[in-house]
């Protein structure tokens, strides 16, 4: 039986084969480095493909269909200009990282994975 989207996602997160996707926030969120994911996961050849797409928008659509919500990173800003500018540089690098949350997709509670149903 082919794996569902959440099952494939879980296997990727638990594998040490991928650097573009990882557990974040103590195993409650999925973090995806968008640019690296495009190359490492979506750029694979036909026989090594994890998902039946080469487009990040299709993966994001699947996340949404399975009840994942995009999380915003809340970054406090400094008042001093040099600190602000260095924080801005870090934030723009950080913007390549997408965070998604689903209450039924939690590393500490693998049995909840069965509750990740397509809407």
């Amino acid at each position: 039986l082919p794996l569902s989207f959440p099952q494939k996602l879980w296997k990727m997160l638990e594998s040490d084969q991928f650097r573009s996707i990882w557990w974040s926030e103590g195993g409650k969120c999925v973090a995806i480095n968008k640019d690296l994911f495009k190359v490492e996961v979506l750029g694979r050849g036909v026989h090594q493909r994890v998902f039946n797409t080469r487009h990040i928008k299709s993966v994001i659509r699947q996340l949404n269909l399975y009840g994942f919500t995009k999380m915003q990173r809340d970054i406090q800003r400094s008042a001093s200009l040099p600190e602000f500018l260095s924080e801005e540089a870090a934030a723009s690098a950080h913007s390549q990282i997408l965070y998604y949350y689903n209450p039924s997709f939690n590393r500490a509670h693998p049995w909840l994975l069965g509750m990740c149903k397509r809407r």
Side-chain angles (χ1 to χ4, degrees), residues 2-107:
L3 296 176
S4 69
F5 177 82
Q7 290 169 325
K8 287 179 185 178
L9 201 60
W10 189 282
K11 282 186 76 130
M12 289 176 70
L13 289 161
E14 290 298 308
S15 159
D16 56 4
Q17 188 179 353
F18 301 98
R19 291 188 352 261
S20 60
I21 184 168
W22 63 93
W23 291 105
S24 124
E25 306 297 328
K28 292 183 172 89
C29 289
V30 175
I32 301 170
N33 179 319
K34 201 162 81 174
D35 291 341
L36 186 55
F37 191 85
K38 287 177 187 175
V39 173
E40 184 183 58
V41 178
L42 302 176
R44 291 174 154 223
V46 175
H47 299 294
Q48 298 173 313
R49 216 168 266 164
V50 178
F51 303 113
N52 291 332
T53 185
R54 298 180 66 83
H55 305 284
I56 189 78
K57 284 186 178 186
S58 297
V59 174
I60 291 169
R61 194 176 306 117
Q62 287 292 318
L63 285 164
N64 292 325
L65 277 172
Y66 279 94
F68 286 82
T69 53
K70 188 173 183 182
M71 304 297 289
Q72 297 299 323
R73 302 305 289 165
D74 211 13
I75 301 170
Q76 293 292 325
R77 302 285 182 197
S78 291
S80 80
L81 185 60
E83 281 180 39
F84 177 80
L85 293 174
S86 71
E87 286 170 7
E88 276 299 299
S92 79
H94 206 61
S95 71
Q96 289 304 310
I97 300 174
L98 307 173
Y99 296 91
Y100 283 89
Y101 169 77
N102 181 325
S104 299
F105 199 88
N106 186 317
R107 190 177 196 180

